[in-house]
Amino acid sequence: MKIGIDQIGFYTPNKYVDMVDLAHARKQDPNKFLIGIGQETMTIADQTQDAVSMGINSTLRYLDQIDKDKVGLLIFGTESSVDQSKSASLFVKTALNLSPQVRTFEVKEACFGLTAGLMMARDYVYSHPDKTAIVIGSDIARYGVNSGGEVTQGAGSISILVKKDPQIMELNEGHSAYSEDINDFWRPNNSKLAKVDGKYSTQVYLDFFTKTFNQYKKEQKLATKDFDALIYHLPFTKMGLKANRLAVEGEEEETTQRLQDNFEASKKWSAKVGNIYTGSLYLSLLSLLENGNLTPGARIGLFSYGSGAMAEFFSGTLVEGYQSKLNKEADQALIDQRKKLSVAEYEEIFNNSLLDPEDSITLKSDEVKGKWYFAGTKNDIRQYSVN
Ligand code: HMG
């Protein structure tokens, strides 16, 4: 049975900081951020955007094109959870008016959450071929103003519809997974900011990529040249570039060029949005499909990495007519329409977003009409509204 990605919805909040401005403010050479890290701008979420509201907004990008009655599973992957008990997916389910018969819950393993959900959704559709599954990855990457990881922040959400006979990409048989209990990046319950051992995290990422990629090729009897594109979880785009350099080591020029060109296309959106944790690999996929030139039948290898750490390599095949399911203009517009913040404005908005609003205060959003937002709490219960 062919199962895979039928729809991809993307959302990122409406403000950003330019890396050149940030470099000047931090007394760094702008090329360190632009080339050394590989980021141009990063999205900033204000107090009214959280994992839930962003997840609603990304799913609304395609909801009117699907049969809502067929959705039997809704999984929410996040490491920016809004509650220690209740799943973010229940707020989403209500906002989207999905059936009460939907099985719904939240999953967590750092940036691996959406991939975990995608694999569960594939198994679900396999055993319920007439049903579909929505899988959301939604996160705000926060290291803190003036921190070592500051240039690798970002905010956004990807929502995916998984279905039989998908219209974008079939998931191929097989996968290779690898995990180890390590401390490269984590976020204790008492902190809204991530803790990170930055250099170590980049080494583990590359080590897990090599392990899972080689294992996958061995098990599936494939060579690097058999992939039309390789895409990566992109905490910052230079990270993926380093992994891609490892992938093409010793390959013929044609393979090297093809994989490099497709990597360039896959990093375009992330270079502007920043790290969106769980959704990041799938933002790479969207960027590749919208900015690259792949033909149906192309085989794409996907590397998913979540700190802590868990990695998986798997692949998909593009289906005939996949281009008609994308909306590059709308995705580009979402990124272009963000308002530029000065560094001082960013710092204020960022620090304010770390505070829980006083109970019973109603927050207002400056997002455009139709976008959902967090409107504050009433009796400590989170409220969501639409503009
Ligand atoms: P740093 O100390 O700011 O940067 O840390 P650096 O000194 O290592 O420099 C970065 C690069 O810029 C270097 O290139 C420099 O040479 C270059 P590289 O050696 O790496 O190729 N550079 C310049 N290039 C051009 N012109 C110049 C210039 N100056 C320097 N003038 C670090 C960087 C990534 C460690 C930091 O930002 C950080 O801690 N970020 C957060 C952690 C992170 O993103 N880790 C990634 C792997 S873990 C992961 O992906 C999981 C994650 O998404 C979380 C999850 O799973 O939930 C994070």
Side-chain angles (χ1 to χ4, degrees):
M1 192 188 309
K2 290 173 176 166
I3 299 171
I5 297 177
D6 191 71
Q7 300 274 352
I8 307 178
F10 164 54
Y11 169 75
T12 192
N14 64 357
K15 300 176 185 66
Y16 77 94
V17 181
D18 193 289
M19 286 303 159
V20 175
D21 295 347
L22 190 64
H24 288 145
R26 302 294 175 249
K27 301 195 172 20
Q28 298 280 341
D29 179 348
N31 280 339
K32 176 177 176 188
F33 293 180
L34 297 172
I35 301 166
I37 297 289
Q39 292 300 123
E40 297 164 30
T41 64
M42 70 184 180
T43 293
I44 303 301
D46 67 25
Q47 204 181 25
T48 68
Q49 285 298 329
D50 65 12
V52 169
S53 60
M54 295 192 301
I56 298 170
N57 289 330
S58 62
T59 310
L60 279 173
R61 291 286 307 277
Y62 63 77
L63 199 71
D64 61 352
Q65 293 165 51
I66 69 169
D67 184 348
K68 280 209 290 190
D69 294 338
K70 293 209 158 166
V71 179
L73 178 68
L74 170 66
I75 305 178
F76 199 107
T78 187
E79 50 184 296
S80 323
S81 205
V82 300
D83 194 284
Q84 290 283 13
S85 169
K86 182 174 169 178
S87 164
S89 66
L90 284 159
F91 297 102
V92 176
K93 192 196 76 128
T94 302
L96 303 181
N97 210 5
L98 295 179
S99 147
Q101 269 81 46
V102 167
R103 178 190 292 160
T104 186
F105 52 91
E106 184 174 311
V107 294
K108 177 180 68 186
E109 181 4 62
C111 300
F112 182 71
L114 206 165
T115 302
L118 179 66
M119 296 306 161
M120 283 190 269
R122 166 164 61 180
D123 293 348
Y124 172 81
V125 174
Y126 196 76
S127 53
H128 304 79
D130 295 331
K131 293 283 189 186
T132 63
I134 292 175
V135 190
I136 298 170
S138 189
D139 276 303
I140 303 174
R142 290 190 179 108
Y143 295 90
V145 165
N146 238 323
S147 65
E150 184 179 33
V151 289
T152 62
Q153 300 179 122
S157 174
I158 291 281
S159 177
I160 287 175
L161 184 79
V162 179
K163 143 176 201 307
K164 190 179 92 174
D165 298 326
Q167 299 178 84
I168 296 179
M169 187 174 85
E170 289 162 24
L171 292 171
N172 297 332
E173 287 293 313
H175 72 278
S176 69
Y178 187 84
S179 65
E180 262 181 51
D181 174 8
I182 56 154
N183 300 305
D184 61 331
F185 168 107
W186 65 105
R187 187 166 71 80
N189 282 345
N190 62 1
S191 175
K192 293 204 172 161
L193 304 175
K195 313 265 179 199
V196 66
D197 189 342
K199 296 271 156 48
Y200 174 55
S201 73
T202 62
Q203 289 158 8
V204 180
Y205 175 111
L206 294 176
D207 178 38
F208 280 32
F209 168 66
T210 308
K211 285 190 165 87
T212 55
F213 184 45
N214 288 342
Q215 183 66 22
Y216 184 84
K217 286 190 293 185
K218 196 170 152 201
E219 282 174 13
Q220 303 304 316
K221 301 188 176 32
L222 291 169
T224 304
K225 66 174 167 38
D226 296 325
F227 292 90
D228 293 284
L230 291 173
I231 59 172
Y232 307 87
H233 163 56
L234 292 179
F236 52 97
T237 71
K238 178 72 167 290
M239 190 73 252
L241 178 65
K242 286 186 180 187
N244 201 59
R245 280 180 185 154
L246 289 179
V248 299
E249 237 169 43
E251 294 299 319
E252 284 175 358
E253 205 181 319
E254 198 265 323
T255 304
T256 302
Q257 195 61 50
R258 182 180 70 245
L259 295 179
Q260 270 171 4
D261 289 348
N262 284 326
F263 174 70
E264 286 298 312
S266 77
K267 71 171 198 187
K268 218 173 154 194
W269 294 156
S270 290
K272 303 218 177 268
V273 173
N275 194 355
I276 60 168
Y277 289 160
T278 43
S280 166
L281 170 63
Y282 303 90
L283 185 58
S284 305
L285 176 63
L286 189 66
S287 186
L288 171 66
L289 301 186
E290 293 184 338
N291 298 303
N293 200 15
L294 290 176
T295 48
R299 187 200 308 265
I300 301 174
L302 298 92
F303 174 63
S304 182
Y305 179 81
S307 283
M310 168 77 222
E312 189 158 325
F313 189 93
F314 58 102
S315 79
T317 301
L318 290 181
V319 302
E320 200 63 52
Y322 79 88
Q323 296 94 336
S324 68
K325 303 311 294 174
L326 307 169
N327 191 344
K328 180 177 177 180
E329 288 67 34
D331 290 328
Q332 179 87 59
L334 195 61
I335 292 170
D336 291 349
Q337 283 162 16
R338 294 171 307 163
K339 178 184 172 234
K340 182 175 171 169
L341 302 175
S342 67
V343 173
E345 286 168 330
Y346 139 64
E347 291 178 356
E348 194 188 332
I349 289 171
F350 181 96
N351 286 330
N352 188 50
S353 77
L354 300 177
L355 306 172
D356 293 323
E358 208 179 301
D359 198 53
S360 293
I361 287 192
T362 304
L363 301 178
K364 293 261 177 288
S365 155
D366 62 3
E367 283 276 358
V368 294
K369 197 168 179 305
K371 298 290 182 222
W372 283 74
Y373 63 96
F374 168 56
T377 59
K378 287 201 177 104
N379 298 321
D380 286 329
I381 297 168
R382 294 179 87 83
Q383 311 292 315
Y384 291 92
S385 298
V386 61
N387 261 343

